[in-house]
């Protein structure tokens, strides 16, 4: 080591000594700066800070911003703020918290639920002198009782508060979601200062997704208080910025029409405006009253909702994953044409079943006797399975996967809903990963009629139908229309679906028109006597069994083994204004149960009040 | 200095027998340093009792922290400094691996990844804390073999040793610790004789880099802290709250203070983190300027003793390491007392050996163990 030999220990030590002296001087200089700083604060400015500290009565209070309102496309108010009075406690001014709560319990009806959640919120981070709600929505009488006893209830206040109110109750619960008491976990996710006075937080749906927009930003005021803590005067005030008002593409009338058409059955309807991607209706039945959740739902009511066999809390439109059945035939037909596996002259003999070479198994058509010779047009119109078995076999899973993916299957694409599910679009890789098995030709056959592994949500079906109605032009489904009255634009969509021949679109759409208006169309009874042309496709999905843990009577069990009814469609054919997907759980066939719902939606949207003036007028607020 | 060279050449044993074997020499304790630390720790526990709202359990837990940390200090003091030198690269690369692992799989505490769970044992370690010792050790190891003052090549080498871990820690993100660690490495370079031109150049570089940091590196909350520091009243609900309240606590303490347990700011919950980073405000409120002056003097005496130990270090490695450790200790003091009193931005640095918390106590006491080792093994080297 040459360097070692050349080391000059004496020089090194001298340098170190120099540096150590510089370091000592630096320490002394900076310490003197600290001495000076504390001298300044504690001696020179002592009086100023003494006054500030003595009067701990100078308090900084946060002012909660008002939550933004939510409207539908026609300006109907969907989410409002209602002034209510709440009973609040300030810990700092209460000598014995338990005694005070006990006293209040003698005066008013305060449940154990109330006390428990109060204690929970008390444990959360809070500012000194910040009040915590014990009971919301006081009645006039309760307010009076508190007022009479006020002299002996130090630290107890009745505070006015704006509470979220959903005037349309269960009509929109699954779209709007609701706000509820902010939880400790949610508090950690937000800017704690901005939420310092806020008690509510969007839990689901629009309220959740647009939480930051609807919330606004906090304001504050410096107030002077007396020894008891009552505010004497406001010294300084910075106003809060209220949350933004938003309006949605939703049409309350259409939403109501869908609920009415479902007529108490379990199901889902999604309607999309193809030109914008705006969601016109998003229905999942049965529903629930979101107002129950705002100030805290009591455990019995919640248990009843959760244990109901109809699972009203479950959002079928976004989270229900069902085999799409024959509703995917138009999309597969386009794939067949575009890959040139088939052409418009291709015909298949349908004896009522289909068989693969070297395979004994018979793949049945829904029509036992078969459809005879069929081409693509007839196979869509009459929903022939054998044609699609044959095509799916020859096309293979890779092609089917590629084309279905282009229409958004297997992916959550809604712009502004967080809880929607992905569905399953099977592929070779998917099956290997999920089932540890290779892809069999029989799997392709099942996929060809929308059965087997494939699962999709009503939202996905509606989205794909809107893209089809647009002849391939993608619009990403979304709820938001305007924020503070300015249009929301620039929403990125997936790439458009392009086909080798533009006329393939019209061919398939023509076949779907046949479903509604053709002589053999599966939904012809729903299409008749319309003043406009519509396109559709029915579907029936075998029930694989949804999770159920309650005991049912025999009739109910039988009912729940019935097939799900499905329908997708749009209207008018030439200039689509609405695309819908309908699902009726255990509804039986798509033509009988689902297509009529869609027809009512089309009528409500396209013909509207003229059809049933009295009824629709009554329905609008 | 010359005399120490002679000492080294004395025949073995003589130096050893020249002093009686006291308890301190058996334990390898440096009595002045140990006494000063003891006063600081005991005084700190009194303030902690008040700052934690008379929580005896917090004080007891902190006492346990000190007991464990003192044990570590005594263990480290027993080792010959040459052992630290031999271990330095191993310790450094182990810590570096830990930092990489933290970024890859670290568990989330308060939104930042700083901890590493050791599977099976259930113990969480914080590699960044470990690096507070490992980085100065590594830089001292690297430079002690070279000709000093270091050449351009070796300065670059040392800077790489410093900035790789510092950058990994800044990414966690833990800017406070990253700064402390970078400082500890830079102190080694300064003690090694880094030229004046380099020092000025680096300062200019930092000044030039600051705008880039602002736009590309700093998180929003960090920017907010700087903005709040510049104008605390602009944001009275957020970080400004802490500064306003702590300044009020300090200022209202006056010359003599409000008396122990009499601080209204801290006891009415106005002062946040009154038992951790902002504990000096409790001390200032309750013991006044006298209290602040006492603790600051105590710190200066500890630092003075540390610099004395460094200056008397037997070899280059010991001197560089000791100097860096004690100066880093001063940075703790200065940054904490500066931020609480509003002359520095809030960066989350505890007041050494007074703020509640086990990790920093462990690291600091470990560094004092190394200092004691350097001081008490001096004479024995010559054997």
């Amino acid at each position: 080591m040459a360097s070692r030999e050349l080391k000059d220990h004496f020089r090194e030590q001298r340098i170190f000594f120099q540096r150590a002296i510089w370091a000592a001087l630096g320490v002394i200089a900076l310490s003197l700066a600290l001495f000076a700083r504390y001298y300044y604060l504690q001696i020179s400015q002592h009086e100023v800070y003494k006054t500030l500290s003595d009067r701990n009565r100078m308090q900084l209070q946060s002012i909660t911003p008002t939550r933004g309102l939510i409207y539908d496309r026609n300006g109907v108010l969907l989410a409002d703020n209602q002034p209510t009075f709440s009973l609040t406690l300030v810990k700092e001014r209460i000598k014995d918290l338990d005694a005070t709560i006990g006293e209040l319990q003698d005066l008013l009806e305060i449940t154990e639920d109330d006390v428990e959640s109060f204690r929970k919120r008390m444990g959360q981070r809070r500012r000194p002198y910040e009040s915590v709600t014990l009971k919301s929505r006081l009645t006039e009488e309760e307010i009076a009782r508190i007022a009479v006893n006020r002299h002996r209830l130090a630290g107890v206040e009745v505070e006015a508060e704006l509470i979220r109110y959903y005037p349309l109750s269960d009509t929109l619960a699954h779209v709007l979601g609701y706000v509820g008491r902010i939880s400790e976990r949610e508090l950690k996710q937000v800017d704690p200062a901005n939420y310092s006075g806020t008690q509510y937080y969007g839990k689901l749906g629009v309220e959740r997704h647009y939480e930051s927009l609807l919330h606004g930003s906090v304001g504050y005021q410096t107030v002077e208080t007396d020894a008891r803590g009552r505010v004497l005067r406001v010294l300084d005030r910075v106003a809060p910025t209220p949350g933004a008002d938003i309006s949605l593409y939703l049409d309350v009338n259409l939403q109501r029409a869908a609920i009415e058409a479902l007529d108490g059955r379990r199901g889902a309807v999604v309607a999309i405006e193809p030109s914008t991607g705006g969601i016109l209706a998003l229905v999942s039945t049965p529903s629930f009253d979101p107002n129950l959740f705002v100030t805290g739902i009591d455990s019995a009511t919640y248990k009843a909702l959760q244990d109901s066999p109809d699972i009203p809390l479950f959002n079928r439109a976004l989270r229900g994953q069902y085999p799409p059945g024959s509703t995917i035939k138009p999309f597969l037909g386009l794939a067949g044409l575009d890959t040139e596996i088939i052409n418009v002259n291709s015909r298949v003999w349908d004896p009522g079943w289909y068989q693969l070479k070297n395979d004994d198994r018979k793949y049945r058509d829904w029509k036992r006797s078969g459809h005879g010779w069929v081409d693509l047009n007839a196979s869509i119109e009459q929903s022939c399975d054998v044609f699609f078995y044959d095509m799916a076999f020859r096309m293979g899973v890779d092609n089917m996967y590629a084309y279905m993916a282009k229409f958004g299957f297997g992916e959550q694409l809604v712009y502004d809903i967080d809880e929607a599910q992905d569905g399953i679009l099977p592929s070779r890789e998917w099956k290997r990963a999920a089932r540890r098995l290779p892809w069999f030709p029989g799997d392709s056959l099942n996929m060809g009629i929308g059965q087997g592994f494939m699962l999709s949500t009503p939202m996905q079906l509606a989205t794909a139908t809107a893209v089809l109605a647009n002849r391939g032009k993608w619009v990403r489904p979304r709820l938001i229309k305007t924020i503070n009255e300015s249009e929301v634009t620039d929403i990125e969509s997936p790439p458009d679906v392009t086909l080798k021949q533009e006329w393939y679109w019209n061919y398939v759409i023509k076949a779907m028109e046949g479903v509604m208006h053709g002589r053999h169309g599966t939904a012809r009874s729903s299409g008749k006597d319309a003043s406009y042309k519509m396109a559709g496709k029915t579907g029936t999905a075998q029930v694989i069994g949804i999770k159920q843990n309650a005991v049912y009577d025999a009739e109910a069990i039988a009912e729940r083994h019935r097939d799900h009814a499905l329908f997708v469609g749009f209207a008018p054919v030439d200039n689509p204004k609405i695309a819908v997907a309908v699902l009726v759980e255990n509804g039986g066939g798509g033509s009988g149960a689902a297509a009529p719902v869609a027809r009512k939606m089309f009528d409500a949207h396209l013909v509207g009040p003229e059809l049933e003036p009295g009824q629709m007028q009554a329905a609008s607020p | 200095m010359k005399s120490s060279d002679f000492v080294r050449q004395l025949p073995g044993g003589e130096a050893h027998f020249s002093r009686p074997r006291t308890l301190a020499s058996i334990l390898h304790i440096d009595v002045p340093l140990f006494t000063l630390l003891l006063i600081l720790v005991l005084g700190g526990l009194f303030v902690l009792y008040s700052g934690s709202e008379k929580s005896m359990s917090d004080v007891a837990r902190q006492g346990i922290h000190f007991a464990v940390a003192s044990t570590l200090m005594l263990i480290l003091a027993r080792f010959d400094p040459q052992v630290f030198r031999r271990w330095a690269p191993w310790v450094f690369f182990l810590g570096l691996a830990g930092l990489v692992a933290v970024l890859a799989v670290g568990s989330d505490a308060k939104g930042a990844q700083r901890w590493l769970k050791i599977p099976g044992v259930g113990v969480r370690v914080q590699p960044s804390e470990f690096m507070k010792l490992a980085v100065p050790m590594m830089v001292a190891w690297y430079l002690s073999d070279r000709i000093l003052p270091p050449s351009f090549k070796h300065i670059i080498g040392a800077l790489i040793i410093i900035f790789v871990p510092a950058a990994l820690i800044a990414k966690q993100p833990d800017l406070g610790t990253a700064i402390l660690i970078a400082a500890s490495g830079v102190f080694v370079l300064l003690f090694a004789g880094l030229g004046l031109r380099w020092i000025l150049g680096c300062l200019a570089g930092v000044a030039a880099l600051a705008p880039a940091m602002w736009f590309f590196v700093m998180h929003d909350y960090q920017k907010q802290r700087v903005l709040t520091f510049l104008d605390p009243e602009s944001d009275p609900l957020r970080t400004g709250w802490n500064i306003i309240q702590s300044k009020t606590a300090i200022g209202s303490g006056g010359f003599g203070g409000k008396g122990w347990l009499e601080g209204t700011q801290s006891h009415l919950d106005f002062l946040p983190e009154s038992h951790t980073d902002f504990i000096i405000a409790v001390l200032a409120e309750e013991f006044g300027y006298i209290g602040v002056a006492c603790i600051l003097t105590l710190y200066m005496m500890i630092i003075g003793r540390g610099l004395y130990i460094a200056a008397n270090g037997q070899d280059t490695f010991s001197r560089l390491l000791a100097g860096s450790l004690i100066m880093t200790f001063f940075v703790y003091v200065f940054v904490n007392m500066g931020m609480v009193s509003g002359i520095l931005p809030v960066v989350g640095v505890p007041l050494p050996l007074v703020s509640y918390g086990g990790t920093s106590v462990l690291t600091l006491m470990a560094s004092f163990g190394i200092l004691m080792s350097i001081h008490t093994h001096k004479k024995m080297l010559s054997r």
Side-chain angles (χ1 to χ4, degrees):
Chain A
M1 291 265 275
S3 62
R4 246 187 201 284
E5 283 154 33
L6 288 168
K7 258 175 111 65
D8 182 344
H9 289 285
F10 178 70
R11 182 159 176 246
E12 275 181 23
Q13 219 166 12
R14 203 190 55 205
I15 292 171
F16 186 86
F17 252 76
Q18 275 175 6
R19 291 300 164 99
I21 285 166
W22 278 112
L25 290 176
V27 168
I28 290 168
L30 290 174
S31 297
L32 285 178
L34 287 179
F35 273 114
R37 174 64 179 172
Y38 281 80
Y39 184 89
Y40 171 78
L41 290 176
Q42 301 196 274
I43 313 289
S44 310
Q45 298 284 304
H46 175 56
E47 284 305 317
V48 175
Y49 289 113
K50 189 172 151 33
T51 329
L52 270 179
S53 155
D54 277 355
R55 302 195 307 174
N56 261 336
R57 52 195 191 148
M58 303 263 283
Q59 281 172 32
L60 196 64
Q61 297 181 332
S62 40
I63 313 173
T64 314
T66 344
R67 199 171 173 87
L69 303 176
I70 307 175
Y71 296 95
D72 93 336
R73 63 189 295 134
N74 302 316
V76 178
L77 186 58
L78 308 181
D80 193 7
N81 298 314
Q82 253 187 359
T84 62
F85 289 93
S86 308
L87 184 66
T88 66
L89 304 184
V90 177
K91 191 181 92 182
E92 280 76 3
R93 292 190 205 122
I94 296 175
K95 281 211 187 78
D96 186 342
L97 196 62
D98 295 324
T100 307
I101 292 173
E103 242 175 290
L104 288 168
Q105 273 176 319
D106 293 340
L107 283 174
L108 325 169
E109 199 182 307
I110 295 169
T111 64
E112 281 312 306
D113 275 0
D114 288 334
V115 176
E116 200 185 305
S117 61
F118 168 78
R119 290 198 188 278
K120 216 160 106 193
R121 264 172 280 136
M122 208 65 182
Q124 290 173 2
R125 224 180 79 101
R126 54 188 280 287
R127 256 168 224 302
Y129 292 100
E130 193 173 283
S131 59
V132 176
T133 306
L134 176 60
K135 184 178 167 69
S136 309
R137 301 181 202 270
L138 297 179
T139 62
E140 296 274 326
E141 198 202 321
E142 285 172 323
I143 296 170
R145 269 194 224 162
I146 298 290
V148 170
N149 291 284
R150 192 163 182 174
H151 60 280
R152 54 191 192 90
L153 293 170
V156 177
E157 299 283 342
V158 173
E159 279 180 39
E161 190 186 12
L162 283 174
I163 289 186
R164 203 54 149 181
Y165 175 65
Y166 303 99
L168 298 175
S169 182
D170 59 355
T171 311
L172 292 148
H174 285 296
V175 200
L176 294 184
Y178 49 83
V179 299
R181 297 272 185 206
I182 190 163
S183 71
E184 184 83 3
R185 194 170 48 84
E186 286 155 350
L187 264 176
K188 280 184 186 147
Q189 289 165 0
V190 297
D191 173 4
N194 199 23
Y195 276 76
S196 53
T198 305
Q199 305 205 28
Y200 301 99
Y201 193 74
K203 303 278 180 180
L204 263 180
V206 174
E207 293 274 26
R208 172 79 195 84
H209 187 88
Y210 290 108
E211 169 61 33
S212 53
L213 208 59
L214 292 165
H215 179 267
S217 37
V218 70
Y220 55 85
Q221 58 186 7
T222 318
V223 295
E224 198 177 25
T225 59
D226 65 9
R228 284 246 221 54
R230 302 254 155 79
V231 174
L232 295 177
R233 64 195 173 109
V234 176
L235 301 173
D236 180 28
R237 187 185 145 98
V238 173
T241 314
D245 292 343
I246 62 179
S247 65
L248 309 178
Y249 274 101
L250 282 177
D251 180 342
V252 168
N253 292 330
L254 201 56
Q255 184 88 2
R256 282 211 184 95
I259 294 169
E260 208 169 285
L262 282 170
D263 191 25
R265 290 172 292 180
R266 297 180 309 282
V269 174
V270 179
I272 293 177
E273 189 173 64
S275 57
T276 58
I279 296 168
L280 298 167
L282 194 150
V283 171
S284 172
T285 53
S287 188
F288 59 93
D289 180 3
N291 293 308
L292 291 172
F293 287 84
V294 175
T295 51
I297 189 167
D298 66 277
S299 41
T301 315
Y302 184 68
K303 204 169 156 28
L305 278 173
Q306 210 179 20
D307 292 350
S308 162
D310 293 337
I311 37 179
L313 294 177
F314 181 60
N315 193 332
R316 291 168 165 83
L318 299 170
R319 301 184 58 81
Q321 304 186 95
Y322 307 89
S326 305
T327 56
I328 64 162
K329 283 176 182 169
F331 306 101
L332 286 177
L334 286 170
L337 291 173
D338 201 50
T339 52
E340 286 159 3
I341 301 288
I342 56 163
N343 60 45
V344 293
N345 299 316
S346 305
R347 294 203 304 165
V348 162
W349 174 258
D350 170 15
W353 46 270
Y354 182 78
Q355 214 167 1
L356 286 169
K357 283 196 185 87
N358 314 321
D359 190 349
D360 295 339
R361 190 176 156 188
K362 280 186 175 174
Y363 291 85
R364 300 231 166 253
D365 197 289
W366 66 269
K367 194 172 175 186
R368 294 231 120 184
S369 58
H371 292 93
W373 282 109
V374 284
D375 60 3
L376 178 59
N377 184 67
S379 299
I380 291 176
E381 190 177 320
Q382 302 168 33
S383 204
C384 166
D385 291 336
V386 168
F387 185 91
F388 282 90
Y389 286 140
D390 179 62
M391 193 184 78
F393 172 66
R394 292 194 288 130
M395 186 153 52
V397 60
D398 300 334
N399 277 322
M400 285 194 282
Y401 175 83
Y403 278 87
M404 297 304 281
K406 286 181 191 177
F407 285 96
F409 288 98
E411 210 179 337
Q412 201 301 82
L413 287 168
V414 195
Y415 170 69
D416 50 8
I417 296 178
D418 303 324
E419 59 262 26
Q421 287 278 9
D422 282 349
I424 294 172
L425 180 58
S427 64
R428 286 179 206 279
E429 292 71 37
W430 173 86
K431 195 181 175 195
R432 205 174 298 129
R435 302 288 157 104
R436 299 180 188 285
L437 281 171
W439 188 267
F440 299 124
D443 295 333
S444 292
L445 264 52
N446 278 328
M447 191 171 169
I449 59 160
Q451 298 284 163
F453 304 118
M454 185 165 173
L455 295 177
S456 59
T457 64
M459 175 54 86
Q460 283 175 327
L461 286 172
T463 307
T465 307
V467 175
L468 179 65
N470 280 343
R471 276 79 172 164
K473 190 188 171 320
W474 248 98
V475 281
R476 200 158 164 204
R478 53 158 162 170
L479 289 161
I480 192 94
K481 191 168 194 291
T482 64
I483 296 170
N484 279 337
E485 296 188 0
S486 61
E487 291 275 338
V488 178
T489 49
D490 293 342
I491 291 171
E492 232 176 281
S493 287
D496 292 345
V497 186
T498 51
L499 300 179
K500 291 196 187 92
Q501 303 289 334
E502 201 44 36
W503 60 266
Y504 291 159
W505 292 109
N506 289 332
Y507 178 87
V508 167
I509 288 170
K510 193 81 194 154
M512 289 173 75
E513 204 183 313
V515 172
M516 308 305 297
H517 305 290
R519 207 141 41 99
H520 303 287
T522 50
R524 59 186 180 278
S525 59
S526 297
K528 70 180 173 209
D529 301 334
S531 56
Y532 52 91
K533 288 267 185 266
M534 55 195 119
K537 183 71 199 79
T538 54
T540 304
Q542 281 163 13
V543 172
I544 307 178
I546 42 171
K547 196 185 74 183
Q548 287 161 9
N549 35 22
V551 184
Y552 305 109
D553 57 289
E555 206 186 334
I557 292 173
E559 200 257 347
R560 271 155 214 268
H561 276 109
R562 242 182 264 158
D563 294 341
H564 295 327
L566 292 152
F567 181 86
V568 300
F570 59 90
V573 169
D574 297 324
N575 178 23
K577 294 257 188 286
I578 176 173
V580 301
V582 177
L583 164 97
V584 182
E585 266 184 25
N586 314 116
S591 53
V597 176
R599 170 68 195 270
K600 282 177 189 155
M601 298 288 288
F602 292 157
D603 281 351
H605 192 64
L606 300 173
V607 187
E610 285 130 313
L611 192 74
E612 298 161 284
Q615 196 184 349
M616 289 313 290
Q617 226 82 76
S620 46
Chain B
M1 315 144 250
K2 274 184 191 167
S3 61
S4 64
D5 285 336
F6 288 127
V7 168
R8 203 189 302 162
Q9 284 158 30
L10 285 172
E14 206 152 315
H16 185 67
F17 287 115
S18 64
R19 279 190 184 195
R21 285 176 66 88
T22 61
L23 183 66
S25 72
I26 294 167
L27 288 175
H28 292 278
I29 286 174
D30 177 54
V31 178
L33 186 56
F34 189 79
T35 314
L36 291 167
L37 290 175
L38 198 66
I39 297 171
L40 179 64
V41 164
L42 292 178
L45 286 177
F46 264 91
V47 183
L48 178 66
Y49 180 68
S50 181
S52 64
E53 294 189 46
K54 304 178 198 169
S55 160
M56 208 51 220
S57 69
D58 276 2
V59 175
R61 230 173 297 149
Q62 184 76 342
I64 293 168
H65 293 155
F66 278 125
V68 173
S70 305
T71 313
L72 177 67
M73 178 181 82
L74 291 178
I75 293 170
L76 289 177
R78 297 200 69 81
F79 285 105
D80 192 287
Q82 293 310 310
V83 175
F84 300 128
R85 180 186 171 135
R86 276 199 298 278
W87 284 359
W90 300 101
V91 170
F92 178 78
F93 285 110
L94 184 70
L96 209 56
L99 286 181
V100 173
V102 163
L103 285 182
V105 297
S107 67
D108 223 77
K110 275 191 185 171
Q113 299 197 322
R114 293 172 192 177
W115 299 88
L116 197 61
K117 271 196 198 115
I118 296 182
V121 195
V123 180
R124 295 196 312 166
V125 291
Q126 200 178 352
S128 59
E129 205 59 39
F130 195 62
M131 290 310 263
K132 283 183 185 164
L133 298 175
V135 167
M137 272 167 84
M138 182 69 186
V139 181
W141 172 86
Y142 177 76
L143 290 177
S144 62
D145 260 357
R146 326 276 164 186
I147 303 168
L148 298 182
S151 65
F152 178 78
K153 196 174 86 183
H154 297 142
I155 290 172
I156 296 298
L159 287 178
I160 291 171
I161 294 173
I162 296 166
F163 284 106
V164 169
L168 288 174
I169 292 163
K171 200 157 167 46
Q172 286 183 359
D174 186 353
L175 202 59
T177 307
I179 289 170
L180 281 174
I181 283 172
S184 70
V186 170
F187 280 128
V188 178
L189 268 171
L190 289 177
F191 281 116
L194 185 72
L196 189 66
R197 261 179 302 168
W198 271 86
I199 299 171
L200 294 177
C202 282
L203 287 177
V206 168
L209 267 176
M213 287 268 292
W214 179 269
F215 288 114
F216 301 115
V217 181
M218 286 172 81
H219 290 251
D220 281 345
Y221 77 92
Q222 288 165 338
K223 290 184 194 173
Q224 188 59 47
R225 280 181 183 177
V226 175
L227 289 176
T228 311
F229 160 65
L230 295 173
D231 181 14
E233 275 74 17
S234 71
D235 189 17
L237 280 177
R238 283 165 247 242
T239 31
W241 168 274
N242 296 16
I243 298 298
I244 293 167
Q245 295 302 331
S246 73
K247 272 161 70 179
T248 308
I250 294 168
S252 65
F255 180 73
K258 297 175 184 171
W260 189 46
L261 302 178
E262 300 294 325
T264 48
Q265 278 292 107
S266 41
H267 290 278
L268 285 176
D269 279 350
F270 282 94
L271 187 66
E273 300 177 52
S274 60
H275 68 304
T276 56
D277 288 359
F278 281 75
I279 195 156
I280 187 76
V282 177
L283 182 138
E285 187 183 15
E286 301 190 347
F287 298 97
Y289 192 60
I290 297 176
V292 173
C294 281
I295 197 165
L296 201 47
T297 310
L298 197 53
Y299 278 128
M300 287 179 73
M301 288 165 79
I302 292 172
I303 291 156
R305 182 65 190 172
L307 281 174
Y308 172 83
I309 289 174
N312 286 289
Q314 201 82 25
D315 58 296
T316 309
F317 173 78
S318 302
R319 282 194 297 264
L320 293 181
L321 181 56
S324 160
L325 290 178
I326 201 66
M327 287 307 287
T328 311
F329 180 78
F330 174 67
V331 172
Y332 267 94
V333 176
F334 183 72
V335 170
N336 179 273
M337 289 183 68
M339 89 182 180
V340 176
S341 63
I343 53 171
L344 289 177
V346 176
V347 281
V349 171
L351 185 65
L353 304 184
V354 178
S355 284
Y356 180 84
T359 350
S360 78
V361 162
L362 211 62
T363 319
L364 289 164
M365 293 302 266
S367 67
F368 285 114
I370 294 172
L371 279 173
M372 289 183 184
S373 143
I374 286 168
H375 199 57
T376 58
H377 286 84
K378 236 172 35 178
K379 308 277 157 47
M380 292 178 194
L381 263 180
S382 52
R383 272 198 295 178

